[in-house]
C-alpha cells in the first residue's frame, strides 16, 4: 500500500508491521540524467520490491533531498547536512512506528546517504523506536561499473522513466566524464567535490546503458528487497 495514495482508514485497516521508506537525492547526473535520478530509482526499487514480497507492506513517500554537497557546483543540486538528514529520516521512521509499522527497510538510491543511514537506522533500532535497516539498491545487485550517471543508473532509468533520459546528450556526457569516482592516492580520496575530477559530473560511460539491462537490474534489486523484507519480518530485534 502506498501511503500517499491511501486514506487514513485504509492505513488503519492494514495488517502489517513492515514499511519501506525510499530515500534519494536531488543532484546532477551529467547532462543526460535527471536531477531526480537517485530518488526515482529508489522509488522504482521500493515499489517493485514491495510487489515481489509475499505479504503486505507499507510504501512511504520518498525523501527526495539527501547528503549531496559534493555536487553543489552543478545547477539544481539540493542538499542538507548529515545531522539534518539523520534527524529527518529518524523522525520519519518514528512516525511510521507510531502507527505500528515498526519494521522498516530504507531503500536508498544515493551513495552520499550511506553512512548517515547506517548510523540513524542503528540508533532507532538500539533505542527501541523501530527495527530499521538500510538497503542501497546498487550495492544489492551486480553493478561493478556503477559510476555516477553512468551505465547502471542510466540503464535503470531507461527501463523505468525513459522519457527523462536525454539520449541525444549521451555522447557529450561520455566525452567529458571521469573514468572513476574521486582522486585516490594510497587509499585517500584527495577530492571532496565532483567538479574536481569530472568536468560535467558524469562518472562512467552512459552510452553502455540499455533498457534491457535496466529491467534486469530492477528485477535483481526488487528480489533483494523482497528477501530483506522477509528477513526483517522474521528477525528478533535484540539480536
Amino acid at each position: 500500500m502506498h501511503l500517499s495514495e491511501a486514506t487514513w482508514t485504509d492505513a488503519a485497516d492494514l495488517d502489517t508491521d513492515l514499511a519501506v521508506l525510499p530515500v534519494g537525492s536531488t543532484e546532477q547526473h551529467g547532462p543526460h540524467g535527471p536531477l531526480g535520478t537517485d530518488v526515482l530509482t529508489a522509488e522504482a526499487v521500493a515499489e517493485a520490491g514491495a510487489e515481489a514480497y509475499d505479504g503486505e507492506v507499507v510504501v512511504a513517500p520518498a525523501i527526495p533531498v539527501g547528503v549531496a554537497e559534493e555536487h553543489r557546483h552543478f545547477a539544481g543540486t539540493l542538499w542538507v547536512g548529515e545531522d539534518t538528514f539523520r534527524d529527518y529520516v529518524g523522525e520519519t521512521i518514528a512516525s511510521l512506528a507510531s502507527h505500528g509499522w515498526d519494521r522498516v527497510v530504507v531503500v536508498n538510491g544515493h551513495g552520499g546517504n550511506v553512512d548517515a543511514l547506517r548510523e540513524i537506522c542503528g540508533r532507532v533500532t538500539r533505542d527501541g523506536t523501530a527495527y530499521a535497516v538500510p538497503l542501497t539498491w546498487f550495492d544489492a545487485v551486480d553493478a561493478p561499473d556503477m559510476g555516477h550517471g553512468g551505465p547502471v543508473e542510466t540503464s535503470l532509468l531507461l527501463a523505468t522513466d525513459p522519457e527523462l533520459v536525454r539520449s541525444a546528450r549521451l555522447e557529450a556526457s561520455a566525452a567529458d566524464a571521469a573514468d572513476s569516482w574521486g582522486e585516490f592516492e594510497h587509499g585517500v580520496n584527495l577530492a571532496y567535490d565532483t567538479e574536481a575530477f569530472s568536468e560535467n559530473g558524469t562518472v562512467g560511460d552512459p552510452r553502455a546503458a540499455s533498457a534491457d539491462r535496466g529491467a534486469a537490474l530492477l528485477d535483481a534489486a526488487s528480489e533483494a528487497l523482497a528477501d530483506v523484507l522477509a528477513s526483517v519480518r522474521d528477525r528478533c530485534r535484540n539480536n
Side-chain angles (χ1 to χ4, degrees):
M1 184 185 72
H2 292 268
L3 278 184
S4 59
E5 299 172 2
T7 68
W8 77 263
T9 53
D10 297 331
D13 290 340
L14 193 65
D15 184 21
T16 186
D17 60 0
L18 280 174
V20 172
L21 174 61
V23 173
S25 182
T26 300
E27 63 183 44
Q28 70 82 21
H29 276 78
H32 67 287
L35 290 158
T37 291
D38 290 348
V39 69
L40 290 167
T41 54
E43 286 179 310
V45 171
E47 180 173 354
E51 291 178 359
Y53 171 70
D54 184 19
E56 291 187 308
V57 59
V58 169
V59 181
I63 295 176
V65 178
V67 182
E69 192 173 4
E70 68 270 22
H71 300 293
R72 62 197 172 93
H73 299 95
F74 298 90
T77 294
L78 306 178
W79 67 91
V80 294
E82 290 193 2
D83 288 344
T84 300
F85 180 73
R86 283 191 295 262
D87 287 347
Y88 196 100
V89 172
E91 291 177 22
T92 301
I93 291 171
S95 64
L96 288 167
S98 75
H99 301 297
W101 307 311
D102 58 358
R103 294 177 180 260
V104 182
V105 179
V106 181
V107 178
N108 177 44
H110 172 50
N113 294 341
V114 169
D115 291 344
L117 286 176
R118 181 66 184 175
E119 183 176 342
I120 190 57
C121 286
R123 187 188 308 169
V124 299
T125 298
R126 291 178 178 124
D127 70 17
T129 298
Y131 176 49
V133 295
L135 181 150
T136 298
W137 74 263
F138 46 82
D139 287 339
V141 300
D142 182 16
D145 53 342
M146 174 58 187
H148 183 77
V152 175
E153 290 177 301
T154 304
S155 288
L156 189 51
L157 284 176
L158 286 172
T160 60
D161 299 277
E163 72 283 358
L164 297 181
V165 178
R166 279 63 167 181
S167 297
R169 301 177 188 170
L170 291 174
E171 289 290 339
S173 289
D176 293 326
D179 293 330
S180 60
W181 183 269
E183 295 178 356
F184 283 88
E185 183 173 344
H186 299 296
V188 176
N189 188 355
L190 302 178
Y192 286 99
D193 293 330
T194 312
E195 70 150 8
F197 54 86
S198 177
E199 184 175 339
N200 65 9
T202 309
V203 178
D205 189 346
R207 296 173 300 181
S210 71
D212 286 345
R213 186 184 183 192
L217 286 166
L218 184 59
D219 285 345
S222 63
E223 289 173 8
L225 175 55
D227 288 345
V228 171
L229 282 166
S231 294
V232 168
R233 175 196 64 203
D234 298 336
R235 185 176 177 84
C236 293
R237 292 181 188 150
N238 61 353
N239 64 16

